[in-house]
Amino acid sequence: MMSGEGNKTKPPGTRPSLFLERQSYRRHRLTDAARILPFLGAALLALPLLWPDPSGGDAAVPLSSAMYYIFLCWGALILAGFVFGLAARRMAAREGSDTGAE
Amino acid sequence: MATINVLILVCLAYVVFLFAVAFAADRMAAAGRGKWLRSPVIYTLSLSIYCTAWTFYGAVGNAARSGLEFVTIYLGPTLVMVGWWWGLRKLVRVGRSQRVTSIADLLSSRYGKSNTLAVCVTILAVLGGTPYIALQLQSITLSFSIFAEADPSGLYREGSSVFWVAAGLAVFAILFGTRNLDVNERHHGVVTAIAVEAVVKLFALIAVGVFVVWGIAGGIGPMMDRIDASEIGQWNVDAGRWTTFIFLSAAAFICLPRMFQVMVVENDDEGHLRTAAWAFPLYLLFMSLFVVPIAVVGLDLLPQGANPDLFVLTVPLSQGNDWLAMLSFIGGFSSATSMVIVSAMALSTMVSNHVVMPIWLNTQEGTGSVSGDVRNIVLMARRVSIAAIIALGFFYYRLSGGGAALASIGLIAFAGISQILPALVGGLFWRRATRTGALVGLTVGFVLWIYTLLLPGMGGAWMPESVLQNGLFGLGWLRPHALFGIEGIDPMVHTVMWSLSLNTLAFCVASLLSFPSPLERLQGAQFVNVFDHSVAPRGWSGSVAQSEDLMIMTQRILGTGPTQEFFQAEAQKQGGRSHLPEPTPGFLNRLERELSGSVGAAMAHAMIGQIVGGSSVSVEDLLAVADESAQLLEYSGQLEEKSSELSRTARQLREANAKLTQISEQKDSFLSQVSHELRTPMTSIRAFSEIMRDTDGLSRQEQTRYAAIIHDEALRLTRLLDDLLDLSVLENGQVSLNLSDDSLRSVLDRAVPSALAGADRKITVRRTRTAERIFLHTDLDRLGQVFINLISNAQKYCDADDPVLVISAHDVGGRVIVDFIDNGSGIPPGARSMVFEKFARVGGDKAGGAGLGLAICREIMQRLGGEITYLPGQGGAAFRISLPQAYQQAAQ
C-alpha cells in the first residue's frame, strides 16, 4: 500500500530522493526486524522455565502441551525467518537492478 | 529377519553410491557444470552434519531419559541461524574475504596471523574432536551389534567391524577431501555426498516416526495421550540445564570445526545464508519432531533395560519391520559417516596447515630453492592427518571400551570447543581484542574445561577420587564440581558457566592490558569493519626480480598448470607482454589469497613475506587503523587548540590588566605631576610678587629682576599649559592638520636653528643634506615640532663631553625614515618603554622639562600616519621617525 502510494503521487524522476529514502528506511526496518528475531526466539524459549515445577507439588504441564508450545514457537521463528529471507532477497534484487540500471 | 550379511551388503552398496555421487559432483564442478551444486539447498543440507549419530540415536535416548531436554541441542543452532544477520553474515563474509581454511586459520588471521594461536585452537579442536569421532564409531558398531544379535550365523566381530568402518571412512575422506588443494578449500564432491546423506537420515528418522505415530500409536491424538501417560509425560526440565544447553549448542554450532568447514569454508555464496536461515531450522525441526514419540513408544514396547539410545533401530525391529530398521540403520550410518568425514577433513586441514607445514618449512629453511612440489607435501600431510585423526578416534574408542562414558562425550566436546567463542566473537566485534587476550582466554577456558569436566568424566585413572572430593592439593574451593565452594550445580552447567565466564573475563582483561601488533590492529580493523572494506586486506610491494621466485614457490604449492594459468592471467591483466606479472600490491594480494586457500592465511603470509620481504601497508589500511586514532588525535588537537586559545586569552588579559594598572598609575602620577609642575612656578611667582608688594625701597634693578623671574615663571606656566592643551587636543584626535608640500631638508633647516636657539653649549648637528632631498606632503609645522623636540632633547640630555647629534634620512619604499642619534649614554633599558609616556623624565628633574615633549611627538606622529620609536643599540640615545611620504587620509 505504501509503495503504491509512493509510486502514484510522485512522478518518476522528479523527486528521487524521497524514493531512495523510503527504500533505505525499509531496509533498515528489515534489518532491525532480523536483529530482533533471535531475541524474540530466546525469550519465547525461556518461557517454559516459568512453568510450574512438578517437584514443588504443583500440577505439572503435560509433555504434549509443552511439545505443542515449543514446536509452535519453533515453527513461528522459522516462518519469520522465511519471510525475512524473502524480503531481503527482494530488496537485494531490487537494489541490484537499481544499481544495474544506473 | 535381515541377516548381518544383507546389512553389510546394503551398507557397502550405500557407500559405493555415495562414492559415485561425490565423484560425479566433483567431475561436474571441475567441468564447470552443475549450478545446482552451489544451490542454497545443498548448502542447507550440508549444514546438517550438525546432526551426528549422537543426535540421530542419542536424541531419542535423551528424550527417554529426560523428556524434552534433547530439544535444546537443536534450539541453540536455530537461534543462531535465525539471528544470522548478527553473526553468521559477518563470519561468512570475513571467511570469504580472508580466504580462511578453518576456524583455527580464522582466529590466527584475526590476531595478527599468529601461528601459536592456530596451534592452540588446533589442539583444542583435536582434543574435543577425537572422542566425538569415537562416539560415531561406537554408534555404528552398536547398531551393527543390534542386527548381529538377531542374526544366528554369528559371523559378526565387533573389533574388526569398527576397524573396517574407520578405514573405509578414512579412505573416503582422503579420496574426496584431499583431491584438490585449490580455491578456498571447496569440496563439491564431499559436500554433495553429505547433502545426500542429510536427506537420507532425515527420511529415515521421519519414516520411523511416521511408522511409530500412525503405525503403532494410531494417529496424533492417541500418540499425545500416550506421551502424557508415559513416565516422561510431564514437563520436568531443569532450568539451568535448559538455558545452558541452548547456549552451549548455539556456541558449539559456530565453533565446531566441521560446522565452520561447511558453513564458512565451503560457502559459495553469501546469499545462501538467507535460505539456510530458515531452511536449516526447519530441517532441525523435522529431525526432532518424532523424537519424543519414538522414545515413548520404545519405553512402552521394549523390555526394561533396553538401551534407549537405539530405540530408532529396535522399535521397528521389534515390530518385525526389518526394512524400516534397515533404513533407520542407513540413516544412522549416514549421520556417523558424514560427521567423521567432515570432521576429519576440517581437523586435518588445521593440523597440516598449522602444525605439520610450519615444522616442515622450518626444517627446509635456508635451502630456499628446494626442488619438488610443496603441493604434494601439503596433500600428503593432509592425508596422513586424516588417517591419524580417524585412527585416534578408533584407538580412543578401543581404549575407553565404549559404553556409557562415551554417551556424554557429545556435550563434553561441545563445552570444550565452545571455549573458542569469546576469542571468535571478540575478534569479530571488538577491534581492541588482542592475540594475548585470545591466548590467555583460551588457555583459562581450556584448563577449566579439562579440570572440571573432561578428567572427572574419564574416571578414576585420570582424576583420583580424593581430588574430586577435596579439591586439588586438598583445597576445598578447587573441587572440580564445586569451584569456589559453590555446590549443587549440575556438572555440565557448572563447567560451562565457570569456564566460559572466566574465559571471557581473562580474554577481556588480557586484551585491555596488552597492546596489539600493527598487523593485529590491521586485521582487527579488517575483521570488525568487514562490511566497510572487505577488499584488499593488506598490501605488499615487491620488485620484478621477485616474480620468478614467487612463481617457483606458487608452483610448488598450487601445481604447475594452475600457477602458470594464474600468472598468465595476471600478466595479461597488467597488459604486459612477459609471462611474469609485475609484483604489484594487487597481484601479491591475490596471490596470497590464492595460496592461503591451500596452506592457510598465516603460512601464505609468511611465505610471500619471505620472498618479497616485509609487508607494506597500504594507505587505506592505515586509514582503517588510523580511524579511531585519528578521532582521538582530532579530539586532543581540539583540546590543545582550545587550551592554547585560553592561555592566549589569559596572556592578553594579563597584559591588558598590567596596562590598565600602569595607566591608572600614570593618571595618578600625571595629576600629581601636573599639580607639582603648576605649583613650582606658582610658588616663585607668589613669592616674588609678595616681595615686590610688601618690601619698600626695592631698587629699580631688583624690581626688574623680580619681575623678570615672575614673567619667566608665568611663561613657563603658559608653556606647560600649552603643552597640556596640545597633548589633550592631539589625544582626542581633534587636531586639524595643515597639509603642505616641502622637502625634508627645508623642514630640518628650519627646525635645527630654532631648537638650538638660546642654548649655552650647542650640540653639534651632523646632517647628510643630499639624502634629505625627499619631498613630503604632510603637516610640516607639526613635523617640525617633532624635530625640534628631538633635537632639543638631545641638546638637553646628551651627556657626552663633545655632544654630537647625527640626523640621517632614508626613503624606504615610500616611507621616510629619519634617525636622530646622539653620542651620549642613551636611555637605560628599563626606562625605554616609558619615554613616550606623559611626564616621563629620564634622570630626574635635571633639565627642567615637563616630560610632555616625547608624548606629544608620539601623538603627532600617529596623527601623521607614522611613528616614533626608540632605536636601541646605537651607542647613544637614538630615535627613529618614520612616516609616509605623502599623508593619506586613511592613516587618520
Side-chain angles (χ1 to χ4, degrees):
Chain A
M1 196 180 81
M2 274 175 69
S3 69
E5 188 188 338
N7 291 337
K8 195 166 56 191
T9 51
K10 306 297 166 210
T14 48
R15 294 181 65 177
S17 62
L18 186 74
F19 183 63
L20 280 179
E21 226 164 65
R22 199 184 283 271
Q23 278 284 88
S24 78
Y25 177 77
R26 280 197 190 143
R27 199 178 55 235
H28 285 284
R29 195 173 51 185
L30 202 64
T31 53
D32 286 349
R35 289 200 167 121
I36 291 170
L37 212 51
F39 295 101
L40 179 76
L44 283 176
L45 295 176
L47 211 62
L49 300 178
L50 300 174
W51 289 349
D53 185 6
S55 59
D58 298 319
V61 174
L63 194 62
S64 55
S65 314
M67 278 175 69
Y68 279 128
Y69 174 76
I70 285 178
F71 282 105
L72 277 180
C73 286
W74 204 340
L77 275 182
I78 292 168
L79 194 68
F82 175 68
V83 170
F84 169 69
L86 272 191
R89 177 172 312 181
R90 258 217 325 257
M91 192 73 67
R94 189 180 300 162
E95 264 160 32
S97 66
D98 276 1
T99 50
E102 271 161 19
Chain B
M1 188 49 89
T3 62
I4 192 80
N5 290 333
V6 175
L7 191 72
I8 290 173
L9 213 64
V10 169
C11 225
L12 284 178
Y14 180 65
V15 170
V16 168
F17 167 67
L18 283 184
F19 265 89
V21 166
F23 186 70
D26 260 352
R27 281 285 293 272
M28 283 174 86
R33 287 179 292 125
K35 261 197 132 140
W36 57 272
L37 288 178
R38 295 186 201 91
S39 74
V41 176
I42 298 282
Y43 179 70
T44 308
L45 287 176
S46 72
L47 290 182
S48 74
I49 52 148
Y50 177 75
C51 305
T52 63
W54 172 55
T55 45
F56 187 85
Y57 293 121
V60 173
N62 197 341
R65 279 183 282 263
S66 38
L68 264 183
E69 194 182 277
F70 82 93
V71 90
T72 53
I73 300 304
Y74 300 109
L75 288 179
T78 298
L79 290 181
V80 172
M81 288 309 291
V82 163
W84 65 284
W85 196 268
W86 281 106
L88 287 186
R89 194 171 70 106
K90 196 168 198 178
L91 191 67
V92 169
R93 172 68 70 86
V94 166
R96 288 166 58 82
S97 75
Q98 301 282 327
R99 293 219 154 192
V100 297
T101 57
S102 65
I103 186 146
D105 196 28
L106 180 92
L107 286 183
S108 115
S109 181
R110 161 63 180 84
Y111 295 106
K113 307 190 177 175
S114 144
N115 204 44
T116 320
L117 194 62
V119 170
C120 284
V121 176
T122 304
I123 292 173
L124 185 69
V126 171
L127 265 182
T130 307
Y132 214 161
I133 290 176
L135 182 65
Q136 309 304 314
L137 296 179
Q138 184 200 27
S139 75
I140 295 178
T141 327
L142 272 180
S143 52
F144 260 125
S145 69
I146 290 290
F147 284 91
E149 273 169 31
D151 184 22
S153 61
L155 281 169
Y156 170 73
R157 287 211 341 272
E158 187 192 314
S160 60
S161 75
V162 179
F163 177 78
W164 287 116
V165 166
L169 289 177
V171 168
F172 189 93
I174 287 172
L175 268 186
F176 291 98
T178 60
R179 278 170 76 88
N180 46 5
L181 196 50
D182 55 339
V183 199
N184 232 27
E185 293 296 300
R186 288 200 188 102
H187 308 93
H188 293 290
V190 172
V191 169
T192 313
I194 287 167
V196 170
E197 290 192 295
V199 175
V200 169
K201 66 191 177 196
L202 181 65
F203 180 70
L205 203 61
I206 288 182
V208 176
V210 167
F211 170 69
V212 161
V213 173
W214 281 276
I216 299 177
I220 296 176
M223 186 69 239
M224 284 304 179
D225 293 341
R226 210 160 164 167
I227 287 173
D228 284 344
S230 74
E231 53 187 283
I232 54 168
Q234 289 185 330
W235 170 260
N236 186 12
V237 171
D238 180 72
R241 281 171 74 87
W242 177 262
T243 36
T244 305
F245 288 174
I246 290 182
F247 171 74
L248 189 61
S249 59
F253 182 68
I254 306 168
C255 298
L256 278 170
R258 65 172 195 276
M259 288 317 295
F260 190 86
Q261 176 83 27
V262 289
M263 198 154 54
V264 179
V265 180
E266 306 278 357
N267 179 286
D268 261 323
D269 180 353
E270 282 169 40
H272 290 173
L273 261 187
R274 262 199 312 254
T275 307
W278 59 268
F280 184 62
L282 191 66
Y283 184 92
L284 293 178
L285 183 129
F286 281 121
M287 279 301 274
S288 46
L289 202 54
F290 292 106
V291 167
V292 174
I294 295 173
V296 167
V297 168
L299 284 173
D300 270 1
L301 292 182
L302 295 173
Q304 203 78 31
N307 186 355
D309 282 338
L310 292 170
F311 279 173
V312 186
L313 275 180
T314 48
V315 167
L317 267 183
S318 72
Q319 299 300 305
N321 203 332
D322 286 0
W323 288 108
L324 188 58
M326 188 79 81
L327 182 63
S328 147
F329 169 81
I330 294 293
F333 185 74
S334 297
S335 318
T337 49
S338 55
M339 182 273 170
V340 172
I341 289 166
V342 180
S343 243
M345 269 168 50
L347 289 177
S348 76
T349 307
M350 284 157 74
V351 169
S352 79
N353 280 357
H354 303 301
V355 181
V356 179
M357 284 313 288
I359 293 174
W360 184 83
L361 276 184
N362 263 342
T363 59
Q364 298 291 311
E365 208 164 304
T367 51
S369 57
V370 206
S371 59
D373 205 339
V374 179
R375 182 179 129 92
N376 282 339
I377 290 166
V378 174
L379 282 177
M380 189 49 71
R382 228 168 257 192
R383 285 172 186 150
V384 172
S385 305
I386 289 180
I389 284 162
I390 294 184
L392 263 180
F394 172 71
F395 285 117
Y396 188 93
Y397 169 70
R398 292 305 297 270
L399 289 177
S400 69
L406 266 182
S408 59
I409 213 81
L411 277 177
I412 294 180
F414 272 25
I417 206 69
S418 300
Q419 302 305 327
I420 298 174
L421 190 72
L424 181 66
V425 173
L428 286 181
F429 293 97
W430 188 29
R431 272 175 69 163
R432 280 167 290 281
T434 68
R435 189 180 76 102
T436 318
L439 274 175
V440 172
L442 263 182
T443 313
V444 167
F446 190 44
V447 167
L448 278 174
W449 169 68
I450 290 183
Y451 180 66
T452 60
L453 198 63
L454 192 64
L455 292 185
M458 287 168 84
W462 295 88
M463 176 162 281
E465 193 62 21
S466 63
V467 174
L468 215 51
Q469 290 298 321
N470 305 321
L472 198 63
F473 312 121
L475 295 170
W477 59 276
L478 276 181
R479 272 172 295 166
H481 285 164
L483 280 186
F484 307 108
I486 300 172
E487 290 183 61
I489 314 176
D490 178 87
M492 266 313 293
V493 178
H494 175 266
T495 300
V496 170
M497 188 191 78
W498 282 119
S499 63
L500 273 179
S501 55
L502 291 180
N503 177 342
T504 311
L505 183 74
F507 168 67
C508 293
V509 170
S511 284
L512 291 176
L513 291 182
S514 57
F515 197 79
S517 68
L519 193 57
E520 260 180 274
R521 303 183 66 186
L522 201 62
Q523 290 295 90
Q526 294 285 355
F527 272 58
V528 175
N529 303 330
V530 66
F531 294 109
D532 299 337
H533 34 75
S534 47
V535 272
R538 60 235 137 183
W540 290 101
S541 65
S543 67
V544 195
Q546 289 157 345
S547 283
E548 205 171 338
D549 294 340
L550 284 172
M551 186 156 176
I552 293 170
M553 179 194 70
T554 313
Q555 275 178 348
R556 282 158 52 194
I557 294 171
L558 299 180
T560 318
T563 304
Q564 275 171 359
E565 248 168 59
F566 178 74
F567 274 66
Q568 198 107 43
E570 285 293 329
Q572 270 175 8
K573 209 182 279 177
Q574 291 179 1
R577 276 187 203 167
S578 89
H579 292 291
L580 287 174
E582 303 271 330
T584 58
F587 161 64
L588 290 171
N589 278 339
R590 283 190 289 277
L591 181 63
E592 189 189 329
R593 286 199 197 177
E594 203 69 31
L595 289 178
S596 76
S598 299
V599 290
M603 280 292 301
H605 188 75
M607 290 174 100
I608 293 194
Q610 252 179 1
I611 290 178
V612 178
S615 67
S616 79
V617 175
S618 75
V619 177
E620 291 93 60
D621 292 339
L622 280 180
L623 281 179
V625 171
D627 241 10
E628 64 191 326
S629 29
Q631 281 167 13
L632 278 177
L633 267 180
E634 196 182 329
Y635 183 61
S636 73
Q638 282 171 357
L639 279 183
E640 218 164 83
E641 202 175 303
K642 281 211 174 90
S643 106
S644 67
E645 195 182 310
L646 274 180
S647 64
R648 232 182 0 254
T649 316
R651 202 172 55 239
Q652 283 166 354
L653 279 177
R654 263 199 307 279
E655 276 168 11
N657 188 38
K659 189 102 184 163
L660 280 176
T661 319
Q662 209 180 13
I663 286 171
S664 154
E665 279 165 10
Q666 274 176 20
K667 190 197 73 191
D668 291 347
S669 70
F670 176 75
L671 282 176
S672 75
Q673 287 279 358
V674 169
S675 2
H676 179 75
E677 295 293 334
L678 291 176
R679 201 165 153 267
T680 321
M682 286 306 277
T683 312
S684 45
I685 289 172
R686 208 181 70 206
F688 284 104
S689 56
E690 275 171 6
I691 292 172
M692 288 175 76
R693 187 190 66 197
D694 300 336
T695 316
D696 297 327
L698 279 176
S699 69
R700 174 82 193 160
Q701 201 180 1
E702 278 172 330
Q703 271 185 9
T704 316
R705 192 159 69 88
Y706 294 157
I709 289 173
I710 290 171
H711 182 249
D712 279 352
E713 291 300 321
L715 273 182
R716 194 169 145 195
L717 264 181
T718 316
R719 207 166 54 233
L720 182 66
L721 291 173
D722 279 348
D723 279 356
L724 278 175
L725 201 62
D726 206 7
L727 194 62
S728 140
V729 167
L730 282 166
E731 277 184 345
N732 289 335
Q734 290 163 346
V735 67
S736 54
L737 296 175
N738 183 17
L739 298 175
S740 53
D741 295 284
D742 206 346
S743 72
L744 178 65
R745 181 158 69 178
S746 51
V747 179
L748 278 170
D749 281 346
R750 284 194 294 275
V752 175
S754 63
L756 298 181
D760 327 327
R761 190 177 69 113
K762 283 193 180 154
I763 189 168
T764 317
V765 176
R766 293 207 181 120
R767 292 167 58 191
T768 319
R769 287 172 176 274
T770 48
E772 289 166 5
R773 276 204 299 217
I774 303 168
F775 280 86
L776 295 167
H777 173 76
T778 187
D779 188 331
L780 297 172
D781 295 336
R782 285 291 184 181
L783 188 61
Q785 191 185 347
V786 173
F787 289 164
I788 292 169
N789 216 314
L790 286 175
I791 297 165
S792 59
N793 267 357
Q795 154 79 23
K796 276 188 234 162
Y797 297 110
C798 185
D799 48 6
D801 292 335
D802 184 14
V804 176
L805 176 70
V806 178
I807 301 173
S808 58
H810 319 274
D811 180 0
V812 183
R815 281 189 86 79
V816 182
I817 298 209
V818 192
D819 290 340
F820 295 82
I821 304 169
D822 67 26
N823 58 349
S825 57
I827 298 171
R832 279 173 199 164
S833 63
M834 293 296 292
V835 287
F836 295 108
E837 301 297 335
K838 292 179 277 278
F839 301 112
R841 267 175 301 200
V842 182
D845 227 1
K846 174 169 93 177
L852 290 173
L854 283 174
I856 291 171
C857 287
R858 189 180 62 174
E859 290 301 325
I860 290 173
M861 289 317 297
Q862 273 177 9
R863 291 292 135 219
L864 298 182
E867 59 175 358
I868 176 166
T869 48
Y870 184 79
L871 274 185
Q874 300 295 326
F879 290 90
R880 164 166 293 184
I881 282 171
S882 85
L883 77 160
Q885 202 166 346
Y887 175 81
Q888 280 159 352
Q889 198 63 35
Q892 200 164 14

